[in-house]
């Protein structure tokens, strides 16, 4: 079953506005990560937040984590056209001695100039 | 330090042909993962190597897919014979032993005609 699920699936905003994407997951995690994929390009790691952290900032990005609700949000402030991309949350899935990252379906963000 | 590299960046083949994708992880990383995103859907885990051993291949879709990591360095993912539904972007990621963050390559876009 899918671990991370992003909401909304698609988001369209004007340049300069803030964009908020949410992610929910089902099982306990150690870390949650957000990635971006520009059309036709590779994944870019944005930010990692550990299960004992509640909020993290990186430039225009702000990530929150609520382990009691099993949810996370990614806020992009003062959006730019270059922020247009698909955004994925990913959670680790501990199994014996190794990890694998489980991705959600992604949120497609369009920033209109 | 060089990141994860993948070759080729784009491959176009006909149904029934064979394609081999290559991933060079970051030097020294024991863990190597393959993921794919097909038809604009979510990114799915394929398999995980620890050095040259397959730790988890539960995500491999069928026996047309064969992954190897001889010598525990680079890895190849062969699709034989390719089908239309194999089209998508194949990502490779690596992480050091015990590391939390996976470093992703740029991906290989596979188009099966």
């Amino acid at each position: 079953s899918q671990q991370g699920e992003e909401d909304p699936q698609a988001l369209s905003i004007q340049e300069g506005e803030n964009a908020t994407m949410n992610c929910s997951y089902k099982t306990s995690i150690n870390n949650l990560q957000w990635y971006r994929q520009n059309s036709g390009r590779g994944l870019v790691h944005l930010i990692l937040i550990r299960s004992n952290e509640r909020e993290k900032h990186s430039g225009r990005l702000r990530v929150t984590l609520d382990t009691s609700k099993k949810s996370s949000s990614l806020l992009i402030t003062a959006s730019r056209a270059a922020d247009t991309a698909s955004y994925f949350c990913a959670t680790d899935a501990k199994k014996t001695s190794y990890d694998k990252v489980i991705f959600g379906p992604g949120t497609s963000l369009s920033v209109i100039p | 330090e060089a990141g994860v590299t993948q070759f080729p960046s784009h491959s176009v083949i006909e149904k029934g042909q064979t394609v081999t994708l290559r991933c060079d992880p970051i030097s020294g990383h024991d863990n190597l993962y393959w993921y794919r995103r097909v038809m604009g859907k979510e990114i799915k885990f394929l398999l995980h190597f620890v050095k040259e051993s397959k730790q988890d291949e539960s995500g491999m879709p069928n026996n047309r897919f064969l992954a190897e990591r001889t010598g525990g360095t680079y890895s190849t993912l062969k699709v034989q014979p390719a089908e239309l539904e194999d089209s998508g972007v194949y990502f490779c990621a690596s992480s050091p032993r015990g590391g939390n963050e996976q470093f992703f390559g740029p991906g290989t876009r596979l188009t099966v005609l």
Side-chain angles (χ1 to χ4, degrees), chain A residues 2 31 33 35 37 39-43 45 48 50 86 88 96-101 103-105, chain B residues 33 35 37 40-43 45 48 50 55-56 58 89 91 99-102 104-107 109:
Chain A
Q2 192 160 278
N31 306 293
Q33 304 177 64
Y35 291 85
Q37 185 193 15
S39 180
R41 298 186 180 181
L43 284 173
H45 182 261
L48 180 152
R50 303 186 193 284
S86 291
F88 299 88
T96 63
S97 61
Y98 55 87
D99 306 0
K100 66 181 178 185
V101 174
F103 288 86
Chain B
Y33 307 81
Y35 299 85
R37 187 185 188 197
K41 296 183 179 177
E42 66 268 24
I43 300 171
F45 167 83
H48 169 210
V50 176
Q55 195 70 30
D56 181 0
S58 61
V89 182
F91 295 100
N100 285 318
E101 181 183 350
Q102 295 183 20
F104 280 81
R109 178 173 291 278

Side-chain angles (χ1 to χ4, degrees), chain B residues 14-72:
Chain B
E14 293 188 350
K15 175 183 173 180
Q17 290 185 322
T18 298
V19 63
T20 300
L21 314 181
R22 173 172 170 145
C23 168
D24 285 77
I26 292 173
S27 179
H29 281 192
D30 286 350
N31 297 299
L32 187 149
Y33 307 81
W34 282 98
Y35 299 85
R36 73 170 182 174
R37 187 185 188 197
V38 296
M39 301 294 289
K41 296 183 179 177
E42 66 268 24
I43 300 171
K44 286 192 174 180
F45 167 83
L46 294 179
L47 87 159
H48 169 210
F49 284 98
V50 176
K51 294 186 179 179
E52 68 275 8
S53 299
K54 291 177 186 176
Q55 195 70 30
D56 181 0
E57 51 184 331
S58 61
M60 295 288 266
N62 51 60
N63 60 9
R64 295 186 294 104
F65 289 75
L66 175 64
E68 294 181 324
R69 193 183 181 195
T70 306

